[in-house]
Amino acid sequence: ALDLSPPGPAAEARLAAARAIVHATNSLLDVTKPVVQGSKDPSSMNAMSNTTAEIFARAKDAGGDPKNAAVQQKMSGAVNAGTAAIARFVNALKAGAVGDREVEAAIDEMARNAADMDSASLFAAAGQLEPNAKAIGQTVEGLQAALVQAAKGIASSSAGVVAATRGTSEQLGTASKQLAAGLTRLSKLSKATASLVGDSLSQQNILSGARAVCLTCQNMVVSARTAQKSPGDQTAQTALQGSSASVAESLKAFIENAQATNSEASRGLAELEGAVAEIRKMLSTFETPAFKGNMNATVDDVIASARALAESSPPPVSACN
């Protein structure tokens, strides 16, 4: 006959515990879907769900045969496994949160570098770019080589960011952090190089080129974060590819500008050296008896020539500041 008597205290306790587990599991699943994507170990969610189901199965067996030691041992093992799975899941979420914070910090650092380059470019346009401490004892050629090397490092780091979108949130955070550090180095080198370049236009080209690299990298990291969280979203994946291509283009333009700046600087130095050699030649000739000069010159002619020399001196001097 069907037993319609109320359940005893032990059965009531098991039912209450089961209801609590069901409610907690349902609540967790409800809030986890948008958060767990890209965590350090996404499989931990499935493991936790499986161990929860195992707890129910073992609890059912234990309820049917409460005095069976083997059944009770299995129940205890299922509970321990469930506790371990929950701990693993929480740790995965923490790792994912760290990765998200590192990505956000990298984006902020890139924005600051872009703003710094923009500000320096405005000073260069006004002819007021201050000498840079990093440039002391350096040459344009040496800094230009360092700029090209830094740009190549950024190209490698940007590829690492794209690759990290197929990994975990923590890996994306690490890759983004590395890229941001490379951009900070590039920005400092750009200001140092620009401070050694004579003309305002070349200064602006270097600084605005560095700014473009910072902005395209920032946009790529934003796209990478979205693409990782939505691996099945074709629009997000296409946006990532486009932003990665923009980074490559901005780096190519930057390197070309840096190399052109070096060529301009070398040509300017060659012209100055030629002028110095010509002046030394004239002075050495002047000191010999063979030099006759303008025999009809007057004091007024000497004064006029001296004034012309004084007026011609400021342009090359200011170009070197």
Side-chain angles (χ1 to χ4, degrees), residues 177-225:
K177 185 177 179 180
Q178 182 178 350
L179 177 59
L183 288 169
T184 296
R185 171 173 166 72
L186 183 78
S187 298
K188 291 178 179 179
L189 283 171
S190 296
K191 288 178 71 174
T193 305
S195 72
L196 287 185
V197 176
D199 66 289
S200 172
L201 183 59
S202 294
Q203 290 177 340
Q204 292 176 71
N205 285 340
I206 293 172
L207 297 168
S208 61
R211 176 179 179 271
V213 172
C214 291
L215 290 176
T216 54
C217 285
Q218 180 188 6
N219 184 54
M220 185 193 68
V221 172
V222 172
S223 297
R225 179 174 59 183

Side-chain angles (χ1 to χ4, degrees), residues 109-249:
E109 185 175 350
M110 293 174 196
R112 287 194 298 271
N113 283 324
D116 188 29
M117 293 299 94
D118 191 35
S119 175
S121 183
L122 290 175
F123 278 106
Q128 297 178 351
L129 188 66
E130 294 292 330
N132 189 278
K134 193 176 181 62
I136 296 176
Q138 302 285 337
T139 64
V140 174
E141 291 85 353
L143 287 172
Q144 179 265 346
L147 274 179
V148 172
Q149 192 64 31
K152 290 179 178 179
I154 289 172
S156 177
S157 295
S158 65
V161 169
V162 174
T165 61
R166 298 186 289 273
T168 66
S169 177
E170 192 176 32
Q171 289 170 336
L172 181 59
T174 299
S176 300
K177 185 177 179 180
Q178 182 178 350
L179 177 59
L183 288 169
T184 296
R185 171 173 166 72
L186 183 78
S187 298
K188 291 178 179 179
L189 283 171
S190 296
K191 288 178 71 174
T193 305
S195 72
L196 287 185
V197 176
D199 66 289
S200 172
L201 183 59
S202 294
Q203 290 177 340
Q204 292 176 71
N205 285 340
I206 293 172
L207 297 168
S208 61
R211 176 179 179 271
V213 172
C214 291
L215 290 176
T216 54
C217 285
Q218 180 188 6
N219 184 54
M220 185 193 68
V221 172
V222 172
S223 297
R225 179 174 59 183
T226 302
Q228 187 191 54
K229 292 184 180 297
S230 305
D233 187 341
Q234 189 56 45
T235 300
Q237 301 303 319
T238 301
L240 175 60
Q241 293 174 6
S243 62
S244 178
S246 295
V247 170
E249 290 173 5

Side-chain angles (χ1 to χ4, degrees), residues 2-123:
L2 182 64
D3 185 5
L4 298 178
S5 60
E12 281 286 2
R14 286 195 296 271
L15 285 172
R19 291 191 187 102
I21 293 175
V22 169
H23 177 72
T25 302
N26 182 64
S27 298
L28 183 61
L29 290 173
D30 186 51
V31 299
T32 294
K33 180 65 175 179
V35 177
V36 74
Q37 192 78 48
S39 71
K40 184 177 181 181
D41 187 5
S43 64
S44 60
M45 182 67 221
N46 293 332
M48 187 181 64
S49 299
N50 292 336
T51 54
T52 302
E54 181 69 12
I55 290 173
F56 275 112
R58 298 287 74 81
K60 181 179 178 181
D61 293 342
D65 191 2
K67 294 184 179 181
N68 188 320
V71 171
Q72 294 297 328
Q73 187 175 4
K74 288 182 179 179
M75 174 64 187
S76 179
V79 171
N80 290 337
T83 302
I86 291 172
R88 180 183 167 198
F89 176 67
V90 171
N91 288 334
L93 287 180
K94 287 181 179 179
V98 170
D100 287 340
R101 286 196 296 270
E102 287 185 336
V103 169
E104 196 62 40
I107 291 172
D108 290 343
E109 185 175 350
M110 293 174 196
R112 287 194 298 271
N113 283 324
D116 188 29
M117 293 299 94
D118 191 35
S119 175
S121 183
L122 290 175
F123 278 106

